[in-house]
Amino acid sequence: MTTNSQKQELTKWFSKLQQDIIAGLEALEDTFAPPSNSQKRFIRKEWHRCGNEDEGGGTMAILDGGSVFERAGVNVSTVYGALPADFSREIPGAQASPSFWASGISIVVHPRNPYVPIIHMNTRHIITTKSWFGGGIDLTPALAFAEDTDFFHTSLQKICDAHDPTYYENFKQQCDEYFYLPHRQEPRGAGGIFYDNLNSGSFAEDFAFTKSVGCAFLEIYSAIVQRRVQTSWDDHARSTQLLKRGRYVEFNLLYDRGTRFGLQTGGNTEAILMSLPPLAQWR
């Protein structure tokens, strides 16, 4: 079972990763935004689970209205207490006891330019009477480029292969199966990797893999942003982007486990729903 020192290590790591990713996204905003809008910054807000400091909480950080990123959220949380009785039946190890502890980071970026893809990443560690890591990273382009998709997946495969040669194909398949809209009969995006209930028996090895995924976020996404952010776009491209955002909303509100976990465990609603874009369309 995860020790108190390991819990402290996890919390510290997720907080540091949040700061690094915020700094990296703000640097991209400054690099490519016009001077009049070059000082867009993340706004941080602290919150407590169920309004109670004794049950943990988190820090949500949102950038709204940027020239590069129309909305970006980078949230961390460490929460604990008791799961609701109905929900505890769905969480591994919570049937015997509703007590839980969870720490993690969640990132969603909605770019302004339709040629820059949406990206999502989250990694977490959850403890009930069992303990495990989970998370992943996936790409959702509105207007896809094979070059970007190949680069994204090749980068993820290198990360996975450095830890276990079976990880990439396994986690890619899990991602494809998870980020799928059954009512539309279509994938949410270009896939990525997704893993849950990861407990190899070595906390150090599983944490090292999770850190590798987290550290790769900026390097991978920055390369794609820089490749596409100055591409000219028109109303048709914008409409295509807003329709893809609509699909993103559908998945997050209907199927996303993280959204449900946050809402069921007394998380901050504003932080949970930061994954939704400021504008979207449906048809």
Short mmCIF file of all heavy atoms in Angstrom, two decimals, residues 157-224:
data_model
loop_
_atom_site.label_atom_id
_atom_site.label_comp_id
_atom_site.label_asym_id
_atom_site.label_seq_id
_atom_site.Cartn_x
_atom_site.Cartn_y
_atom_site.Cartn_z
N GLN A 157 5.08 6.12 -28.19
CA GLN A 157 5.62 4.76 -28.22
C GLN A 157 7.02 4.72 -27.62
O GLN A 157 7.38 3.78 -26.90
CB GLN A 157 5.64 4.22 -29.65
CG GLN A 157 6.12 2.77 -29.72
CD GLN A 157 5.88 2.13 -31.07
OE1 GLN A 157 5.49 2.80 -32.02
NE2 GLN A 157 6.12 0.84 -31.14
N LYS A 158 7.83 5.74 -27.90
CA LYS A 158 9.18 5.79 -27.33
C LYS A 158 9.12 5.85 -25.80
O LYS A 158 9.92 5.19 -25.12
CB LYS A 158 9.93 7.00 -27.88
CG LYS A 158 10.33 6.88 -29.34
CD LYS A 158 11.04 8.14 -29.82
CE LYS A 158 11.43 8.02 -31.29
NZ LYS A 158 12.05 9.28 -31.78
N ILE A 159 8.18 6.63 -25.29
CA ILE A 159 8.03 6.73 -23.83
C ILE A 159 7.65 5.37 -23.26
O ILE A 159 8.23 4.90 -22.28
CB ILE A 159 6.95 7.77 -23.48
CG1 ILE A 159 7.42 9.17 -23.88
CG2 ILE A 159 6.62 7.74 -21.98
CD1 ILE A 159 6.31 10.18 -23.91
N CYS A 160 6.67 4.74 -23.87
CA CYS A 160 6.19 3.44 -23.38
C CYS A 160 7.29 2.39 -23.47
O CYS A 160 7.52 1.63 -22.52
CB CYS A 160 4.97 3.00 -24.18
SG CYS A 160 3.47 3.96 -23.86
N ASP A 161 7.97 2.33 -24.61
CA ASP A 161 8.99 1.29 -24.82
C ASP A 161 10.14 1.40 -23.83
O ASP A 161 10.77 0.39 -23.48
CB ASP A 161 9.54 1.38 -26.24
CG ASP A 161 8.56 0.89 -27.28
OD1 ASP A 161 7.51 0.32 -26.90
OD2 ASP A 161 8.82 1.11 -28.49
N ALA A 162 10.40 2.61 -23.35
CA ALA A 162 11.48 2.80 -22.37
C ALA A 162 11.15 2.16 -21.03
O ALA A 162 12.04 1.91 -20.21
CB ALA A 162 11.76 4.28 -22.18
N HIS A 163 9.86 1.86 -20.82
CA HIS A 163 9.43 1.26 -19.55
C HIS A 163 8.97 -0.18 -19.69
O HIS A 163 9.28 -1.02 -18.86
CB HIS A 163 8.30 2.11 -18.94
CG HIS A 163 8.75 3.46 -18.49
ND1 HIS A 163 9.22 3.71 -17.22
CD2 HIS A 163 8.82 4.64 -19.16
CE1 HIS A 163 9.56 4.99 -17.11
NE2 HIS A 163 9.33 5.57 -18.27
N ASP A 164 8.25 -0.47 -20.77
CA ASP A 164 7.77 -1.83 -20.99
C ASP A 164 7.34 -1.94 -22.45
O ASP A 164 6.49 -1.17 -22.91
CB ASP A 164 6.57 -2.13 -20.07
CG ASP A 164 6.12 -3.59 -20.12
OD1 ASP A 164 5.96 -4.12 -21.23
OD2 ASP A 164 5.92 -4.18 -19.05
N PRO A 165 7.91 -2.87 -23.21
CA PRO A 165 7.60 -2.97 -24.63
C PRO A 165 6.15 -3.35 -24.93
O PRO A 165 5.72 -3.22 -26.09
CB PRO A 165 8.57 -4.05 -25.13
CG PRO A 165 8.95 -4.82 -23.92
CD PRO A 165 8.94 -3.85 -22.79
N THR A 166 5.41 -3.80 -23.92
CA THR A 166 4.00 -4.14 -24.16
C THR A 166 3.07 -2.95 -23.92
O THR A 166 1.89 -3.01 -24.27
CB THR A 166 3.55 -5.29 -23.24
OG1 THR A 166 3.51 -4.84 -21.87
CG2 THR A 166 4.48 -6.47 -23.35
N TYR A 167 3.59 -1.89 -23.33
CA TYR A 167 2.73 -0.79 -22.91
C TYR A 167 2.03 -0.09 -24.08
O TYR A 167 0.83 0.18 -24.03
CB TYR A 167 3.52 0.25 -22.11
CG TYR A 167 3.66 -0.06 -20.64
CD1 TYR A 167 3.13 -1.21 -20.07
CD2 TYR A 167 4.35 0.83 -19.79
CE1 TYR A 167 3.28 -1.48 -18.72
CE2 TYR A 167 4.49 0.57 -18.44
CZ TYR A 167 3.96 -0.57 -17.90
OH TYR A 167 4.09 -0.84 -16.57
N TYR A 168 2.79 0.25 -25.12
CA TYR A 168 2.22 1.11 -26.15
C TYR A 168 1.00 0.48 -26.82
O TYR A 168 -0.07 1.12 -26.88
CB TYR A 168 3.27 1.48 -27.20
CG TYR A 168 2.66 2.28 -28.34
CD1 TYR A 168 2.23 3.59 -28.14
CD2 TYR A 168 2.47 1.70 -29.59
CE1 TYR A 168 1.64 4.31 -29.17
CE2 TYR A 168 1.88 2.42 -30.63
CZ TYR A 168 1.47 3.72 -30.41
OH TYR A 168 0.88 4.42 -31.42
N GLU A 169 1.13 -0.73 -27.33
CA GLU A 169 0.00 -1.34 -28.03
C GLU A 169 -1.18 -1.55 -27.08
O GLU A 169 -2.34 -1.35 -27.46
CB GLU A 169 0.42 -2.67 -28.67
CG GLU A 169 1.35 -2.51 -29.86
CD GLU A 169 0.73 -1.71 -31.00
OE1 GLU A 169 -0.52 -1.70 -31.13
OE2 GLU A 169 1.49 -1.08 -31.75
N ASN A 170 -0.87 -1.95 -25.85
CA ASN A 170 -1.92 -2.16 -24.86
C ASN A 170 -2.64 -0.85 -24.54
O ASN A 170 -3.88 -0.77 -24.58
CB ASN A 170 -1.31 -2.76 -23.59
CG ASN A 170 -2.34 -3.07 -22.53
OD1 ASN A 170 -3.54 -3.03 -22.77
ND2 ASN A 170 -1.88 -3.36 -21.33
N PHE A 171 -1.88 0.19 -24.22
CA PHE A 171 -2.48 1.45 -23.81
C PHE A 171 -3.10 2.21 -24.98
O PHE A 171 -4.06 2.96 -24.80
CB PHE A 171 -1.44 2.31 -23.10
CG PHE A 171 -0.92 1.70 -21.82
CD1 PHE A 171 0.28 2.12 -21.27
CD2 PHE A 171 -1.63 0.69 -21.16
CE1 PHE A 171 0.76 1.57 -20.09
CE2 PHE A 171 -1.15 0.12 -19.99
CZ PHE A 171 0.05 0.56 -19.45
N LYS A 172 -2.55 2.02 -26.18
CA LYS A 172 -3.16 2.61 -27.37
C LYS A 172 -4.53 2.00 -27.61
O LYS A 172 -5.51 2.71 -27.91
CB LYS A 172 -2.28 2.40 -28.60
CG LYS A 172 -2.87 2.98 -29.89
CD LYS A 172 -1.98 2.69 -31.08
CE LYS A 172 -2.56 3.29 -32.35
NZ LYS A 172 -3.90 2.72 -32.72
N GLN A 173 -4.63 0.68 -27.48
CA GLN A 173 -5.91 0.02 -27.66
C GLN A 173 -6.92 0.49 -26.62
O GLN A 173 -8.09 0.76 -26.94
CB GLN A 173 -5.75 -1.50 -27.59
CG GLN A 173 -7.07 -2.25 -27.79
CD GLN A 173 -6.89 -3.76 -27.74
OE1 GLN A 173 -5.78 -4.27 -27.79
NE2 GLN A 173 -8.00 -4.47 -27.65
N GLN A 174 -6.47 0.60 -25.37
CA GLN A 174 -7.37 1.09 -24.32
C GLN A 174 -7.85 2.50 -24.63
O GLN A 174 -9.01 2.83 -24.38
CB GLN A 174 -6.66 1.05 -22.97
CG GLN A 174 -6.43 -0.34 -22.42
CD GLN A 174 -5.89 -0.31 -21.00
OE1 GLN A 174 -6.43 0.37 -20.13
NE2 GLN A 174 -4.82 -1.05 -20.76
N CYS A 175 -6.96 3.32 -25.17
CA CYS A 175 -7.33 4.69 -25.52
C CYS A 175 -8.37 4.69 -26.64
O CYS A 175 -9.38 5.41 -26.56
CB CYS A 175 -6.09 5.47 -25.96
SG CYS A 175 -6.39 7.22 -26.30
N ASP A 176 -8.14 3.90 -27.67
CA ASP A 176 -9.08 3.84 -28.79
C ASP A 176 -10.46 3.37 -28.32
O ASP A 176 -11.49 3.87 -28.79
CB ASP A 176 -8.56 2.91 -29.87
CG ASP A 176 -7.34 3.46 -30.59
OD1 ASP A 176 -7.11 4.68 -30.52
OD2 ASP A 176 -6.61 2.67 -31.22
N GLU A 177 -10.47 2.41 -27.41
CA GLU A 177 -11.75 1.90 -26.91
C GLU A 177 -12.45 2.89 -25.98
O GLU A 177 -13.67 3.00 -25.99
CB GLU A 177 -11.52 0.57 -26.19
CG GLU A 177 -11.07 -0.56 -27.10
CD GLU A 177 -10.67 -1.81 -26.35
OE1 GLU A 177 -10.62 -1.77 -25.10
OE2 GLU A 177 -10.41 -2.84 -27.01
N TYR A 178 -11.65 3.60 -25.20
CA TYR A 178 -12.23 4.52 -24.21
C TYR A 178 -12.74 5.81 -24.85
O TYR A 178 -13.88 6.21 -24.63
CB TYR A 178 -11.19 4.84 -23.14
CG TYR A 178 -11.69 5.80 -22.08
CD1 TYR A 178 -12.73 5.44 -21.24
CD2 TYR A 178 -11.11 7.06 -21.93
CE1 TYR A 178 -13.20 6.32 -20.27
CE2 TYR A 178 -11.57 7.94 -20.96
CZ TYR A 178 -12.61 7.57 -20.13
OH TYR A 178 -13.06 8.44 -19.18
N PHE A 179 -11.90 6.46 -25.67
CA PHE A 179 -12.28 7.74 -26.26
C PHE A 179 -13.06 7.50 -27.55
O PHE A 179 -12.62 7.83 -28.66
CB PHE A 179 -11.05 8.61 -26.50
CG PHE A 179 -10.42 9.09 -25.22
CD1 PHE A 179 -9.21 8.57 -24.81
CD2 PHE A 179 -11.04 10.04 -24.43
CE1 PHE A 179 -8.63 9.00 -23.62
CE2 PHE A 179 -10.48 10.47 -23.25
CZ PHE A 179 -9.27 9.96 -22.83
N TYR A 180 -14.23 6.94 -27.38
CA TYR A 180 -15.11 6.59 -28.50
C TYR A 180 -16.52 7.02 -28.14
O TYR A 180 -16.96 6.86 -27.00
CB TYR A 180 -15.05 5.08 -28.77
CG TYR A 180 -15.84 4.65 -29.99
CD1 TYR A 180 -15.31 4.79 -31.26
CD2 TYR A 180 -17.11 4.11 -29.85
CE1 TYR A 180 -16.03 4.39 -32.38
CE2 TYR A 180 -17.84 3.71 -30.97
CZ TYR A 180 -17.30 3.85 -32.23
OH TYR A 180 -18.01 3.48 -33.33
N LEU A 181 -17.22 7.61 -29.11
CA LEU A 181 -18.61 8.05 -28.89
C LEU A 181 -19.55 7.03 -29.52
O LEU A 181 -19.76 7.05 -30.75
CB LEU A 181 -18.84 9.43 -29.50
CG LEU A 181 -18.14 10.61 -28.83
CD1 LEU A 181 -16.74 10.79 -29.42
CD2 LEU A 181 -18.94 11.88 -28.98
N PRO A 182 -20.12 6.13 -28.72
CA PRO A 182 -20.98 5.09 -29.29
C PRO A 182 -22.19 5.65 -30.02
O PRO A 182 -22.63 5.10 -31.04
CB PRO A 182 -21.41 4.26 -28.07
CG PRO A 182 -20.58 4.69 -26.94
CD PRO A 182 -19.96 5.99 -27.27
N HIS A 183 -22.76 6.74 -29.51
CA HIS A 183 -23.97 7.28 -30.14
C HIS A 183 -23.65 7.94 -31.48
O HIS A 183 -24.54 8.12 -32.31
CB HIS A 183 -24.65 8.28 -29.21
CG HIS A 183 -23.84 9.51 -28.92
ND1 HIS A 183 -22.75 9.50 -28.10
CD2 HIS A 183 -23.96 10.79 -29.36
CE1 HIS A 183 -22.23 10.71 -28.02
NE2 HIS A 183 -22.94 11.52 -28.77
N ARG A 184 -22.39 8.28 -31.71
CA ARG A 184 -21.96 8.82 -33.00
C ARG A 184 -21.27 7.77 -33.85
O ARG A 184 -21.04 7.97 -35.05
CB ARG A 184 -20.99 9.98 -32.78
CG ARG A 184 -21.56 11.18 -32.06
CD ARG A 184 -22.39 12.03 -32.97
NE ARG A 184 -22.77 13.29 -32.33
CZ ARG A 184 -23.53 14.21 -32.91
NH1 ARG A 184 -23.97 14.01 -34.15
NH2 ARG A 184 -23.84 15.32 -32.28
N GLN A 185 -20.89 6.68 -33.20
CA GLN A 185 -20.12 5.62 -33.84
C GLN A 185 -18.85 6.18 -34.49
O GLN A 185 -18.53 5.91 -35.65
CB GLN A 185 -20.96 4.87 -34.88
CG GLN A 185 -22.15 4.14 -34.26
CD GLN A 185 -22.90 3.27 -35.23
OE1 GLN A 185 -22.65 3.27 -36.44
NE2 GLN A 185 -23.83 2.49 -34.72
N GLU A 186 -18.12 6.97 -33.67
CA GLU A 186 -16.89 7.56 -34.17
C GLU A 186 -15.93 7.80 -33.00
O GLU A 186 -16.37 8.00 -31.86
CB GLU A 186 -17.17 8.88 -34.89
CG GLU A 186 -17.73 9.97 -33.99
CD GLU A 186 -18.11 11.23 -34.76
OE1 GLU A 186 -18.70 11.10 -35.86
OE2 GLU A 186 -17.85 12.34 -34.25
N PRO A 187 -14.62 7.79 -33.25
CA PRO A 187 -13.66 8.10 -32.20
C PRO A 187 -13.69 9.59 -31.88
O PRO A 187 -14.08 10.41 -32.72
CB PRO A 187 -12.32 7.70 -32.82
CG PRO A 187 -12.54 7.82 -34.29
CD PRO A 187 -13.98 7.44 -34.53
N ARG A 188 -13.28 9.94 -30.67
CA ARG A 188 -13.24 11.35 -30.31
C ARG A 188 -12.15 12.08 -31.08
O ARG A 188 -12.32 13.25 -31.44
CB ARG A 188 -13.01 11.52 -28.81
CG ARG A 188 -13.11 12.98 -28.36
CD ARG A 188 -13.05 13.15 -26.88
NE ARG A 188 -11.69 13.13 -26.35
CZ ARG A 188 -11.39 13.44 -25.08
NH1 ARG A 188 -12.37 13.74 -24.24
NH2 ARG A 188 -10.15 13.41 -24.66
N GLY A 189 -11.04 11.43 -31.30
CA GLY A 189 -9.93 12.10 -31.97
C GLY A 189 -8.96 11.13 -32.59
O GLY A 189 -9.35 10.07 -33.09
N ALA A 190 -7.67 11.47 -32.50
CA ALA A 190 -6.62 10.67 -33.13
C ALA A 190 -6.00 9.68 -32.17
O ALA A 190 -4.99 9.04 -32.48
CB ALA A 190 -5.54 11.59 -33.69
N GLY A 191 -6.58 9.53 -30.98
CA GLY A 191 -6.09 8.56 -30.03
C GLY A 191 -4.87 9.02 -29.26
O GLY A 191 -4.55 10.21 -29.19
N GLY A 192 -4.19 8.05 -28.68
CA GLY A 192 -3.04 8.30 -27.82
C GLY A 192 -2.82 7.08 -26.97
O GLY A 192 -2.88 5.95 -27.47
N ILE A 193 -2.61 7.27 -25.68
CA ILE A 193 -2.52 6.15 -24.75
C ILE A 193 -3.41 6.42 -23.55
O ILE A 193 -3.62 7.57 -23.15
CB ILE A 193 -1.06 5.89 -24.28
CG1 ILE A 193 -0.46 7.12 -23.59
CG2 ILE A 193 -0.20 5.42 -25.44
CD1 ILE A 193 0.88 6.87 -22.92
N PHE A 194 -3.94 5.36 -22.98
CA PHE A 194 -4.79 5.45 -21.80
C PHE A 194 -4.54 4.21 -20.96
O PHE A 194 -4.51 3.09 -21.49
CB PHE A 194 -6.26 5.53 -22.20
CG PHE A 194 -7.21 5.60 -21.04
CD1 PHE A 194 -7.41 6.78 -20.35
CD2 PHE A 194 -7.90 4.47 -20.63
CE1 PHE A 194 -8.28 6.84 -19.27
CE2 PHE A 194 -8.77 4.52 -19.55
CZ PHE A 194 -8.97 5.71 -18.87
N TYR A 195 -4.33 4.42 -19.67
CA TYR A 195 -4.11 3.27 -18.79
C TYR A 195 -4.84 3.51 -17.47
O TYR A 195 -5.04 4.64 -17.04
CB TYR A 195 -2.61 3.03 -18.55
CG TYR A 195 -1.85 4.17 -17.91
CD1 TYR A 195 -1.56 4.18 -16.55
CD2 TYR A 195 -1.40 5.25 -18.68
CE1 TYR A 195 -0.85 5.22 -15.96
CE2 TYR A 195 -0.69 6.29 -18.10
CZ TYR A 195 -0.42 6.27 -16.74
OH TYR A 195 0.28 7.31 -16.17
N ASP A 196 -5.27 2.42 -16.87
CA ASP A 196 -5.96 2.49 -15.58
C ASP A 196 -5.61 1.24 -14.79
O ASP A 196 -5.18 0.23 -15.35
CB ASP A 196 -7.47 2.59 -15.79
CG ASP A 196 -8.17 3.24 -14.61
OD1 ASP A 196 -7.48 3.67 -13.66
OD2 ASP A 196 -9.41 3.34 -14.64
N ASN A 197 -5.77 1.33 -13.48
CA ASN A 197 -5.47 0.20 -12.60
C ASN A 197 -4.05 -0.33 -12.81
O ASN A 197 -3.80 -1.55 -12.76
CB ASN A 197 -6.48 -0.94 -12.82
CG ASN A 197 -7.91 -0.48 -12.56
OD1 ASN A 197 -8.19 0.15 -11.55
ND2 ASN A 197 -8.79 -0.77 -13.50
N LEU A 198 -3.10 0.59 -13.04
CA LEU A 198 -1.72 0.18 -13.24
C LEU A 198 -1.04 -0.01 -11.88
O LEU A 198 -0.80 0.94 -11.15
CB LEU A 198 -0.96 1.22 -14.05
CG LEU A 198 0.53 0.94 -14.29
CD1 LEU A 198 0.71 -0.33 -15.11
CD2 LEU A 198 1.22 2.12 -14.97
N ASN A 199 -0.75 -1.25 -11.57
CA ASN A 199 -0.01 -1.61 -10.36
C ASN A 199 0.81 -2.85 -10.67
O ASN A 199 0.32 -3.97 -10.58
CB ASN A 199 -0.95 -1.87 -9.18
CG ASN A 199 -0.20 -2.09 -7.87
OD1 ASN A 199 0.98 -2.44 -7.88
ND2 ASN A 199 -0.87 -1.91 -6.75
N SER A 200 2.06 -2.61 -11.07
CA SER A 200 2.94 -3.71 -11.47
C SER A 200 3.54 -4.43 -10.27
O SER A 200 4.21 -5.44 -10.43
CB SER A 200 4.07 -3.16 -12.34
OG SER A 200 4.92 -2.32 -11.57
N GLY A 201 3.31 -3.85 -9.08
CA GLY A 201 3.96 -4.36 -7.89
C GLY A 201 5.13 -3.50 -7.46
O GLY A 201 5.68 -3.67 -6.37
N SER A 202 5.50 -2.54 -8.31
CA SER A 202 6.58 -1.61 -8.00
C SER A 202 6.06 -0.18 -8.10
O SER A 202 5.83 0.32 -9.21
CB SER A 202 7.77 -1.80 -8.95
OG SER A 202 8.71 -0.75 -8.77
N PHE A 203 5.86 0.46 -6.96
CA PHE A 203 5.44 1.86 -6.96
C PHE A 203 6.43 2.71 -7.73
O PHE A 203 6.04 3.58 -8.53
CB PHE A 203 5.31 2.37 -5.53
CG PHE A 203 5.01 3.85 -5.41
CD1 PHE A 203 3.70 4.30 -5.37
CD2 PHE A 203 6.04 4.77 -5.35
CE1 PHE A 203 3.43 5.66 -5.29
CE2 PHE A 203 5.77 6.13 -5.26
CZ PHE A 203 4.46 6.58 -5.23
N ALA A 204 7.71 2.50 -7.51
CA ALA A 204 8.74 3.31 -8.15
C ALA A 204 8.67 3.21 -9.67
O ALA A 204 8.77 4.22 -10.39
CB ALA A 204 10.12 2.90 -7.66
N GLU A 205 8.50 2.01 -10.20
CA GLU A 205 8.45 1.83 -11.65
C GLU A 205 7.19 2.45 -12.25
O GLU A 205 7.24 3.12 -13.29
CB GLU A 205 8.53 0.34 -11.99
CG GLU A 205 9.90 -0.27 -11.70
CD GLU A 205 9.95 -1.75 -12.02
OE1 GLU A 205 8.97 -2.27 -12.61
OE2 GLU A 205 10.96 -2.39 -11.70
N ASP A 206 6.05 2.24 -11.58
CA ASP A 206 4.80 2.79 -12.10
C ASP A 206 4.78 4.31 -12.02
O ASP A 206 4.27 4.99 -12.92
CB ASP A 206 3.61 2.20 -11.33
CG ASP A 206 3.48 0.70 -11.52
OD1 ASP A 206 4.05 0.17 -12.50
OD2 ASP A 206 2.81 0.06 -10.69
N PHE A 207 5.35 4.85 -10.95
CA PHE A 207 5.44 6.30 -10.80
C PHE A 207 6.39 6.88 -11.84
O PHE A 207 6.14 7.94 -12.43
CB PHE A 207 5.89 6.65 -9.38
CG PHE A 207 5.80 8.12 -9.03
CD1 PHE A 207 4.96 8.98 -9.72
CD2 PHE A 207 6.53 8.62 -7.97
CE1 PHE A 207 4.87 10.32 -9.38
CE2 PHE A 207 6.46 9.96 -7.61
CZ PHE A 207 5.62 10.82 -8.33
N ALA A 208 7.48 6.18 -12.11
CA ALA A 208 8.44 6.64 -13.11
C ALA A 208 7.78 6.72 -14.49
O ALA A 208 8.02 7.67 -15.26
CB ALA A 208 9.65 5.71 -13.16
N PHE A 209 6.97 5.72 -14.83
CA PHE A 209 6.26 5.76 -16.11
C PHE A 209 5.29 6.94 -16.15
O PHE A 209 5.23 7.68 -17.15
CB PHE A 209 5.51 4.45 -16.34
CG PHE A 209 4.61 4.50 -17.55
CD1 PHE A 209 5.15 4.57 -18.83
CD2 PHE A 209 3.23 4.48 -17.41
CE1 PHE A 209 4.31 4.64 -19.94
CE2 PHE A 209 2.40 4.55 -18.51
CZ PHE A 209 2.94 4.63 -19.79
N THR A 210 4.55 7.13 -15.08
CA THR A 210 3.59 8.22 -15.02
C THR A 210 4.29 9.57 -15.14
O THR A 210 3.81 10.48 -15.82
CB THR A 210 2.79 8.14 -13.70
OG1 THR A 210 1.98 6.94 -13.74
CG2 THR A 210 1.89 9.34 -13.51
N LYS A 211 5.45 9.70 -14.52
CA LYS A 211 6.22 10.94 -14.64
C LYS A 211 6.72 11.13 -16.08
O LYS A 211 6.75 12.26 -16.58
CB LYS A 211 7.39 10.94 -13.66
CG LYS A 211 6.95 11.14 -12.22
CD LYS A 211 8.11 11.45 -11.29
CE LYS A 211 8.94 10.24 -10.98
NZ LYS A 211 9.96 10.51 -9.92
N SER A 212 7.09 10.06 -16.74
CA SER A 212 7.55 10.17 -18.12
C SER A 212 6.44 10.70 -19.03
O SER A 212 6.69 11.53 -19.92
CB SER A 212 8.03 8.80 -18.64
OG SER A 212 9.19 8.37 -17.96
N VAL A 213 5.23 10.21 -18.81
CA VAL A 213 4.09 10.70 -19.58
C VAL A 213 3.90 12.19 -19.31
O VAL A 213 3.72 13.00 -20.24
CB VAL A 213 2.81 9.91 -19.24
CG1 VAL A 213 1.59 10.52 -19.93
CG2 VAL A 213 2.96 8.45 -19.64
N GLY A 214 3.93 12.58 -18.05
CA GLY A 214 3.73 13.99 -17.69
C GLY A 214 4.80 14.89 -18.26
O GLY A 214 4.50 15.98 -18.79
N CYS A 215 6.05 14.46 -18.18
CA CYS A 215 7.15 15.28 -18.67
C CYS A 215 7.13 15.44 -20.18
O CYS A 215 7.67 16.41 -20.73
CB CYS A 215 8.48 14.67 -18.24
SG CYS A 215 8.84 14.85 -16.48
N ALA A 216 6.53 14.49 -20.89
CA ALA A 216 6.52 14.52 -22.35
C ALA A 216 5.50 15.51 -22.90
O ALA A 216 5.60 15.91 -24.08
CB ALA A 216 6.22 13.13 -22.90
N PHE A 217 4.54 15.90 -22.09
CA PHE A 217 3.43 16.72 -22.58
C PHE A 217 3.91 17.97 -23.32
O PHE A 217 3.54 18.21 -24.47
CB PHE A 217 2.51 17.11 -21.42
CG PHE A 217 1.42 18.06 -21.83
CD1 PHE A 217 0.21 17.58 -22.32
CD2 PHE A 217 1.59 19.43 -21.75
CE1 PHE A 217 -0.80 18.45 -22.72
CE2 PHE A 217 0.59 20.31 -22.14
CZ PHE A 217 -0.60 19.81 -22.63
N LEU A 218 4.72 18.78 -22.65
CA LEU A 218 5.14 20.05 -23.24
C LEU A 218 5.97 19.86 -24.50
O LEU A 218 5.79 20.56 -25.50
CB LEU A 218 5.93 20.87 -22.22
CG LEU A 218 5.15 21.85 -21.36
CD1 LEU A 218 6.08 22.55 -20.39
CD2 LEU A 218 4.40 22.86 -22.20
N GLU A 219 6.89 18.91 -24.45
CA GLU A 219 7.76 18.70 -25.61
C GLU A 219 6.95 18.30 -26.84
O GLU A 219 7.14 18.84 -27.94
CB GLU A 219 8.80 17.62 -25.29
CG GLU A 219 9.75 17.34 -26.44
CD GLU A 219 10.78 16.28 -26.10
OE1 GLU A 219 10.82 15.82 -24.95
OE2 GLU A 219 11.54 15.90 -27.01
N ILE A 220 6.01 17.37 -26.65
CA ILE A 220 5.21 16.89 -27.77
C ILE A 220 4.27 17.97 -28.28
O ILE A 220 4.22 18.28 -29.48
CB ILE A 220 4.42 15.64 -27.36
CG1 ILE A 220 5.36 14.48 -27.05
CG2 ILE A 220 3.43 15.25 -28.46
CD1 ILE A 220 4.65 13.27 -26.45
N TYR A 221 3.52 18.57 -27.37
CA TYR A 221 2.50 19.52 -27.81
C TYR A 221 3.12 20.81 -28.34
O TYR A 221 2.63 21.38 -29.32
CB TYR A 221 1.54 19.83 -26.67
CG TYR A 221 0.28 20.53 -27.13
CD1 TYR A 221 -0.48 20.04 -28.18
CD2 TYR A 221 -0.16 21.70 -26.50
CE1 TYR A 221 -1.64 20.67 -28.61
CE2 TYR A 221 -1.31 22.35 -26.92
CZ TYR A 221 -2.05 21.83 -27.97
OH TYR A 221 -3.19 22.48 -28.39
N SER A 222 4.19 21.28 -27.72
CA SER A 222 4.84 22.50 -28.20
C SER A 222 5.29 22.35 -29.64
O SER A 222 5.18 23.28 -30.45
CB SER A 222 6.04 22.84 -27.31
OG SER A 222 5.63 23.20 -26.02
N ALA A 223 5.82 21.18 -29.98
CA ALA A 223 6.28 20.95 -31.35
C ALA A 223 5.13 21.05 -32.34
O ALA A 223 5.26 21.64 -33.43
CB ALA A 223 6.95 19.58 -31.45
N ILE A 224 3.96 20.49 -31.97
CA ILE A 224 2.80 20.54 -32.87
C ILE A 224 2.26 21.96 -32.95
O ILE A 224 1.91 22.45 -34.04
CB ILE A 224 1.72 19.55 -32.39
CG1 ILE A 224 2.25 18.11 -32.49
CG2 ILE A 224 0.45 19.71 -33.22
CD1 ILE A 224 1.32 17.06 -31.89
#
